[in-house]
Amino acid sequence: MDIDKLTFEEAIAKLEEVVKNLEDENITLDNAMEKFELGVKLSEYCLKKLNEAEKKIEELTRNEKGQLEVNEINLSEDNNDI
Amino acid sequence: MNPTEFDLPIGTKIYKVSDLNFEIRNEIEGVFSNIWVEGEISNFAYPNKKHMYFSLVDEFSMIKVAMFENNCKDLPFSIENGIHVYVNGYVSIYDKRSEYQIIAYNIIPVKKGSLLLAFEQLKKKLQELGMFDESIKKNIPILPSKIGVITSKNGAVIKDIIKILNKRYGNYHLILRNSLVQGNDAPKEIIKAIDDLEEYKVDVIIIARGGGSFEDLAPFNDEELAMRIFKCKIPIISGVGHQTDFTICDFVADKRAATPTHAAEIVILNKEEALFKINKNKEKIFNIISSKINMHKKEIKSLISRKIFKYPKSLLNLMWQQYDNLNEDFKNSYINLIKLKRNNFQLIKSKINLKSILEKIKRNKIILNNNFLFLKNNYNAYIIFKKNILNVILEKIDSFNPINILKKGYSIVKNKKLNKTIRSIKEVDINDEVLILFIDGFAESKIIAKNLKNMFLK
């Protein structure tokens, strides 16, 4: 499975599936090791995804030529909470 | 500066503010003392169930109305926003704010307010078109990388949304598309905003507006806007007005948020919760695998501690011993069995008298010979008898042989195609090809006529 191509939702769902598989007592050791490896990769991937983006607040407008453009704006004068 | 320079001409009447308001009030109350006004009720308020306050609106204008306790009590129906009424009363001035308003004595409903009626009609129409069906609503991504927001850049709503996003996620990416959210031009602007965000490709769109009257929220009940939301390829969350406000946009959007703030809560997952969940799962995986490995380790340990692995030779020796014992047992019991059989044989042998048996055989031989002779003679006679019967039957059969019949001048007619003997005129049709069989050959012919008359009967 190509983990990098999963969406966050898919990765989370896969991770939960892996946990469920591992919780099955009849799983063979070989299979469990394989799932373990996959589970670790998935959780690392999810954590990476969560921190991937950079905070940005932009405004979408059209310029004189009618082309879309985005410019950073500052609307968050009262956002010092975090 | 000398204040006397600004003194007014003598005799100029100077009003105190309150006097002026008082006079205007008297004037107006005199002119509009008992009037009827038609309009739609909006912004209705009834604090403590004492006095009623609302606006009476038509498509262009509005006027405030107040109705006091004693008159309110006499109303036979309940007042609510959007209903279309005639109001009876007089026009007065609220001195403190110089606001004029109608003081109502009586209210009579005309029919449902046209705006509300239009809302209900549109709602019904779109519902029947299946535009509100849950089954066609798009899923809202839980971790959108770009969040589009359509609202007024200058309103409080965008700030509220940012505040919530800061709390829930922190490193989000928000694309604001500024738009009017009130007035007649709002629907077209919002549609354009959706176009732009769709072209720019965000992962989810929030359409948001703060609370307001039914008229304020009217743009969100626009049919064209509803159609645009329905056709949008990007999932849309509508967060319009307060918890209790429902607009057409809410129904047609992929998700209705009760308020703009709520929309911000729906649009992205709570990072802390997600982190907790992922780490919890990670921990679980590690725990399960380590306990699994420990279990297998124990199993292997206990296997290794078994005798076979520890003293493999001793077990083999034990088995050899068992084999030897079994072998010995087998040998002994075999010898005993043979001994027993031999004894039995001797016993039976001693019981048999050979001479009398030989005599018995001789006697039986003579009887057998006699019987055989008798049987042979009888059998021959029987065969001759059967042969004679057979000859008679063969002669009879010969007389029925079709070849013999053909010799006498008859012929056989066969259907050529089916190769089947024709026994009746009914089995042939005109133009059927038939074979006529003679004793010395055959002819092919075609039926040219057919007659059901029997030539042999008269």
Side-chain angles (χ1 to χ4, degrees), chain B residues 64-317:
Chain B
K64 290 197 166 172
V65 182
M67 191 177 205
F68 296 119
E69 200 176 1
N70 49 336
N71 290 317
C72 293
K73 277 187 294 193
D74 299 335
L75 281 178
F77 65 100
S78 51
I79 301 291
E80 54 185 82
N81 284 331
I83 61 172
H84 192 177
V85 292
Y86 297 130
V87 172
N88 181 216
Y90 63 95
V91 179
S92 180
I93 300 269
Y94 182 46
D95 302 14
K96 278 192 180 158
R97 286 207 293 254
S98 309
E99 275 182 349
Y100 66 90
Q101 59 181 5
I102 297 171
I103 305 296
Y105 308 128
N106 193 12
I107 302 171
I108 300 170
V110 181
K111 52 179 177 170
K112 236 177 213 174
S114 55
L115 274 178
L116 188 61
L117 202 63
F119 168 80
E120 283 174 358
Q121 284 166 343
L122 181 59
K123 185 180 161 196
K124 192 167 168 234
K125 178 179 159 189
L126 300 186
Q127 193 156 27
E128 280 168 3
L129 286 174
M131 283 171 60
F132 304 160
D133 288 358
E134 283 301 320
S135 59
I136 53 169
K137 295 207 184 283
K138 292 180 271 302
N139 282 334
I140 309 292
I142 60 174
L143 187 62
S145 43
K146 280 181 194 147
I147 303 168
V149 179
I150 299 172
T151 192
S152 162
K153 187 181 174 179
N154 303 315
V157 164
I158 185 65
K159 284 178 187 153
D160 288 344
I161 289 176
I162 285 172
K163 211 176 190 173
I164 297 293
L165 290 180
N166 285 340
K167 242 187 241 163
R168 281 181 75 81
Y169 203 78
N171 50 325
Y172 57 89
H173 185 178
L174 184 148
I175 313 279
L176 170 69
R177 175 56 173 79
N178 181 40
S179 169
L180 277 179
V181 287
Q182 185 162 346
N184 292 337
D185 294 332
K188 280 203 176 65
E189 276 222 19
I190 297 170
I191 289 171
K192 239 190 271 165
I194 295 175
D195 293 343
D196 286 355
L197 284 173
E198 200 174 51
E199 187 185 330
Y200 187 70
K201 289 196 175 66
V202 292
D203 299 300
V204 61
I205 296 173
I206 296 175
I207 300 176
R209 188 211 186 281
S213 68
F214 191 71
E215 291 73 35
D216 291 340
L217 302 184
F220 299 91
N221 294 324
D222 181 83
E223 183 167 357
E224 270 178 55
L225 176 56
M227 287 293 179
R228 184 64 189 88
I229 291 175
F230 181 72
K231 282 183 195 146
C232 184
K233 293 187 187 80
I234 299 168
I236 292 183
I237 303 172
S238 95
V240 176
H242 294 304
Q243 176 85 39
T244 48
D245 298 323
F246 277 88
T247 64
I248 297 293
C249 275
D250 287 331
F251 294 123
V252 78
D254 296 295
K255 184 97 192 168
R256 182 224 173 210
T259 59
T261 313
H262 184 216
E265 283 163 355
I266 291 173
V267 80
I268 200 162
L269 54 83
N270 183 316
K271 192 172 177 180
E272 239 171 84
E273 282 173 16
L275 283 174
F276 180 78
K277 207 163 123 188
I278 295 165
N279 283 325
K280 191 96 196 162
N281 276 333
K282 205 171 154 186
E283 208 177 293
K284 250 191 207 167
I285 291 175
F286 272 99
N287 286 343
I288 291 171
I289 208 75
S290 61
S291 77
K292 197 137 196 126
I293 289 173
N294 276 340
M295 195 180 82
H296 282 280
K297 251 188 201 163
K298 259 189 213 155
E299 244 176 57
I300 291 170
K301 246 186 204 161
S302 83
L303 277 175
I304 288 175
S305 68
R306 286 204 191 162
K307 219 175 175 183
I308 177 72
F309 292 113
K310 260 190 172 160
Y311 313 106
K313 213 169 176 187
S314 75
L315 195 76
L316 201 62
N317 286 340

Side-chain angles (χ1 to χ4, degrees), chain A residues 8-9 16 19 22 27 32 36 43-44 46-47 50-51 53-56 58-60 62 70 79, chain B residues 141-142 153 166 169-177 196 199 269 271 277-278 282 285 289 292:
Chain A
F8 183 77
E9 280 98 325
E16 303 212 335
V19 173
L22 281 173
I27 189 171
F36 169 72
S43 53
E44 297 297 341
C46 289
L47 292 173
L50 280 178
N51 292 312
E54 189 188 332
K55 178 176 170 179
K56 248 190 229 165
E58 294 173 313
E59 185 180 2
L60 180 67
R62 284 196 185 267
V70 286
N79 69 344
Chain B
I142 60 174
K153 187 181 174 179
N166 285 340
Y169 203 78
N171 50 325
Y172 57 89
H173 185 178
L174 184 148
I175 313 279
L176 170 69
R177 175 56 173 79
D196 286 355
E199 187 185 330
L269 54 83
K271 192 172 177 180
K277 207 163 123 188
I278 295 165
K282 205 171 154 186
I285 291 175
I289 208 75
K292 197 137 196 126

